[in-house]
Amino acid sequence: MNGKKSEIQMSRREFLGLSALGLGIALANARPAAATRAVAPDEVAILYDPVKCVGCKACQMACKRWNKLPNESTDPLGIYESPQGLSAITWNIIKLRRTETGWHFFNYQCMHCTDAACVEVCPTGALYHDPKGFVALDRDKCNGCGYCTQFCPYGVPHLQVENALTGRAKSAKCVFCQDRLWAGIGGPRCAEVCPVGALTWGKRGELLEKARARVAELQAKGMSARLYGETEAGGLHRLSILLDEPEAYGLPSVPKTPTFARAWQRIIQPLGNVAFGAALLGIFGVFLFVRRKIRMEEVK
Amino acid sequence: MTVQLKGRPEVITIQWIPKYTFMERLGHWLHTATFVPLAITGMILYFPFLQPLAQGEAGLFIRLVHRVAAVIFGLLPIVYYLVEPRRLILHLREFLLRKEDIGWLKAAPAYYLLGKHEAMPPQGRFNAGEKLNGLMMIVTWFVFGITGIPMWFGKGVIPPEIFRWLVVFHDLAMIVSVCMLMVHLYLAVAHPLMWAGLVSMRFGVTSAEYAAEHHAKWFYGPKRAMEMWEAKKREAAHH
Ligand code: HEM
């Protein structure tokens, strides 16, 4: 009698233990709430004004120089764009775009989203938000999985592939010259060197005010100017004045991948964990039940 | 073979009969030996709390292990059925679900929870539950391959819109197959009724009495097993 009782008590303890384990696994996927951050006006940002831009590419060169990025050989297509796009070793580039008002230069770099799909899907935490708001990348933590390259709505991060077969690679992208900022040397090199003030940097709240005024000024001149980045993807830290639809610049009007990434990471994966927890608990419950109901000596 | 259970006076005689070939067992254990590392390395990318293991050199290593294991995992069934093509037909026939498998589903709760054999219709070498497990393994094998290969080689080749769905479906296949593995593991290792299962997957043999009880269609042949089952039901109805 006594023996039997202690057996049941032990089962209960085991049961509680496993319940906790099941619950723990189910909750293990809960992402830190910090990822759903709100953008603050004292965060830093870059503002790009294509009307002022003369396409001198000083930004592009300065970026390469500060970040010690090697030259890229490009196809001699006889056009202005060289290299032809962002890559693992080109984090800032001027391209030619045809808009309603004719041909314009446009500067491409990381948009530093607040609602950043790359940060959401990064399995290592290598991509993260700097306290100043932009998206930083810790290359030591990166394991080269490349999810960021596939989820970025702007196609910004690129893999520097060492071996495509083993998957040995590292992600690379503009990090807002994080080292310069934190060392107190200055701001993003691209904005610092711009000779015409097309790229400027500063507090995001102040830049927004400046951008709105500039948009109004351009509109008064009859240009179809608009601001891009105030609310897109939770608010970008690279603000742009556009002279046409975002699509004319290859930018999505509504970036969708942050929502997709969040649905994957915060709905599908946690549901999977509930399935794991339920399976574990169910099996353990059955185990306890069957242990008492079916006696080995009666089994053939 | 005779065995004496610990602390019990009587001696039991077990007559062992062959159940799985050497190649079947080798295939089963190679599948296990690749699936488990795949699941572990995959989960390191999946679970945020395992993030420290996914970082830097450790992360590069687990991704490499995932790829090496994936190659064996992917090629294993192909090589196996190239070597033993006739087993492909046999296995497909054995694993195909039939109408009468509904009978297993109805009898399963009382059978697995209470050990009530009476209502369980005769089963083949694989019972309907094993069939379901096996069919899902075939489905997930295809899903892992169809999603995993482009995840490996497709970055920058296939449109990102498609890549994003591949990762999600790779995850779903993992969730389904790992849940199935947990159930499979419990039944194989800890369920008292299934005591001979692990023996036969290790040594290839099973007890004749166990086979007659659990796999009558295989032990007696489908015709005779059904006749015996009908006779048993008639007898029970009389009483
Ligand atoms: C044909 C077999 C398979 C192939 C080719 C394959 C390939 C891959 C690849 C390429 C990745 C992306 C990471 C990287 O680039 O290194 C990955 C991730 C993953 N794999 Fe597999 N895999 C296979 C089988 C499996 C199996 C059997 C499981 C689990 C039971 C599994 C679970 C996972 C998980 C959970 C991830 C992480 C997904 C995430 O980040 O949420 N894979 N696999």
Side-chain angles (χ1 to χ4, degrees), chain A residues 123 144-145 147 166 264-265 269, chain B residues 34-35 38-43 45-46 63-64 66-67 70-71 73-74 141 144-145 147-149 151-153 155 167 170-171 173-174 177-178:
Chain A
C145 75
Y147 293 169
T166 63
W264 173 34
Q265 298 287 321
Q269 290 197 345
Chain B
T34 50
F35 182 88
L38 277 166
I40 293 171
T41 52
M43 280 175 157
L45 295 181
Y46 174 95
R63 285 181 55 235
L64 180 62
H66 198 80
R67 284 166 189 223
V71 172
F73 176 86
W141 180 81
F144 281 126
T147 57
I149 295 166
M151 279 162 71
W152 186 337
F153 298 106
K155 266 170 272 179
V167 201
H170 204 78
D171 268 7
M174 186 276 286
S177 58
V178 169

Side-chain angles (χ1 to χ4, degrees), chain A residues 25 28-31 122-125 140-147 149-153 159 164-170 257 260 264-265 268-270 272-273 275-276 279-280 283 286-287 289-290 293-294 296-297 299-300, chain B residues 8 43-49 51 54-57 59-60 63-64 67 111-115 151-153 155-156 158-160 163-165 167-168 171-172 174-175 178-179 182-183 186 190-193 195 209-210 213-214:
Chain A
I25 288 191
N29 222 38
R31 298 254 164 185
C122 178
T124 64
D140 288 340
K141 282 188 183 163
C142 175
N143 73 13
C145 75
Y147 293 169
T149 66
Q150 304 298 304
F151 278 81
C152 174
L159 278 186
L165 198 62
T166 63
R168 201 176 176 86
K170 290 275 177 189
T257 60
F260 188 105
W264 173 34
Q265 298 287 321
I268 297 175
Q269 290 197 345
N273 299 339
F276 291 144
L280 272 179
I283 290 166
V286 168
F287 170 74
F289 184 79
V290 165
K293 288 289 175 189
I294 307 180
M296 207 46 211
E297 46 272 32
V299 170
K300 283 185 211 166
Chain B
R8 292 171 60 87
M43 280 175 157
I44 291 173
L45 295 181
Y46 174 95
F47 281 117
F49 79 97
Q51 198 171 72
Q55 290 170 341
E57 282 302 315
L60 284 160
R63 285 181 55 235
L64 180 62
R67 284 166 189 223
Y111 179 78
Y112 287 97
L113 291 177
L114 307 169
M151 279 162 71
W152 186 337
F153 298 106
K155 266 170 272 179
I158 53 166
F163 187 98
R164 291 171 207 143
W165 282 106
V167 201
V168 171
D171 268 7
L172 289 175
M174 186 276 286
I175 292 162
V178 169
C179 283
M182 292 197 272
V183 177
Y186 162 66
H191 196 287
L193 278 193
W195 68 271
E209 206 178 345
Y210 179 91
E213 182 65 44
H214 294 265

Side-chain angles (χ1 to χ4, degrees), chain A residues 40-101:
Chain A
D42 61 344
E43 290 176 359
V44 293
I46 296 171
L47 170 64
Y48 177 65
D49 182 344
V51 183
K52 288 187 179 160
C53 182
V54 293
C56 72
K57 296 192 180 192
C59 48
Q60 207 173 310
M61 292 314 300
C63 173
K64 286 237 172 208
R65 228 166 140 174
W66 177 258
N67 294 299
K68 300 194 176 63
L69 300 171
N71 294 335
E72 200 158 347
S73 59
T74 52
D75 300 331
L77 293 183
I79 57 165
Y80 178 84
E81 293 176 0
S82 166
Q84 282 168 39
L86 294 177
S87 74
I89 52 170
T90 299
W91 301 348
N92 187 311
I93 193 168
I94 299 268
K95 295 181 79 161
L96 269 173
R97 283 286 167 184
R98 195 196 177 110
T99 66
E100 262 181 15
T101 32

